[in-house]
Amino acid sequence: MLTIVGYVDGLCEPVNPGGTATYGYVIRNDAGRDIARKSGVVGKGPEMSNNVAEYAALCEALRFLVKEKMTRMSIEIRSDSRLVVNQMKGKWKFRKGRYAQKYSEAKGLTALFTIITFRWITREENEEADALSGEAYSQATQDSA
């Protein structure tokens, strides 16, 4: 079966928690061509954290795949967040945290997919999604300057 691969990343700066949280994702088809590249701002303030941003990136990517009617395809999500990957695989339990709402949202979205897997990758392997979240942060801080 052909696999669609999504790279997701988020950040919260200049302080974590409590800064400006942004996300980025890249989705590629089985031929390695980009289907989507997107970034944006999750929010600002005390409710924001790296984990909120990482989960927001996952949710945004999954929403794109749902909108494009790709839920019956084989999907592999790659992230450099051990928390996201291990929680989504069911290896780590969710206890509590600022990201509770995004975690629940991600769980609900993954339930819509026939085949979805999660893979932890190094930061270096996630450069593009990382760069997109960084660009969104630069844009957000310029806009408010």
Side-chain angles (χ1 to χ4, degrees):
M1 182 175 257
L2 305 175
T3 300
I4 301 293
V5 178
Y7 294 85
V8 298
D9 200 26
L11 64 80
C12 184
E13 307 238 332
V15 291
N16 177 45
T20 297
T22 61
Y23 71 88
Y25 70 79
V26 177
I27 297 173
R28 294 205 169 103
N29 66 15
D30 57 303
R33 286 198 195 87
D34 288 2
I35 299 171
R37 296 174 73 82
K38 191 164 184 246
S39 63
V41 176
V42 183
K44 296 176 184 174
E47 293 305 307
M48 295 299 122
S49 71
N50 277 351
N51 294 335
V52 170
E54 295 281 359
Y55 267 108
L58 172 60
C59 291
E60 292 294 330
L62 294 175
R63 266 197 289 278
F64 170 83
L65 293 165
V66 169
K67 193 176 90 205
E68 295 298 314
K69 301 188 176 12
M70 295 182 169
T71 55
R72 297 174 80 101
M73 299 178 88
S74 174
I75 307 293
E76 181 176 275
I77 299 294
R78 298 178 185 175
S79 171
D80 58 22
S81 167
R82 289 185 196 276
L83 179 84
V84 168
V85 170
N86 286 315
Q87 284 185 334
M88 296 311 289
K89 282 178 155 185
K91 285 184 173 179
W92 293 0
K93 287 187 173 28
F94 170 79
R95 290 190 175 81
K96 63 182 185 200
R98 289 175 173 82
Y99 64 97
Q101 185 184 342
K102 290 288 177 198
Y103 169 79
S104 296
E105 200 178 311
K107 285 307 248 185
L109 285 163
T110 55
L112 304 172
F113 291 84
T114 309
I115 303 166
I116 187 163
T117 57
F118 293 88
R119 190 169 123 201
W120 180 81
I121 57 174
T122 64
R123 242 186 124 168
E124 293 72 37
E125 292 173 281
N126 208 20
E127 275 176 0
E128 288 180 79
D130 181 60
L132 286 168
S133 60
E135 286 167 24
Y137 176 74
S138 295
Q139 192 70 49
T141 51
Q142 280 173 355
D143 292 347
S144 63

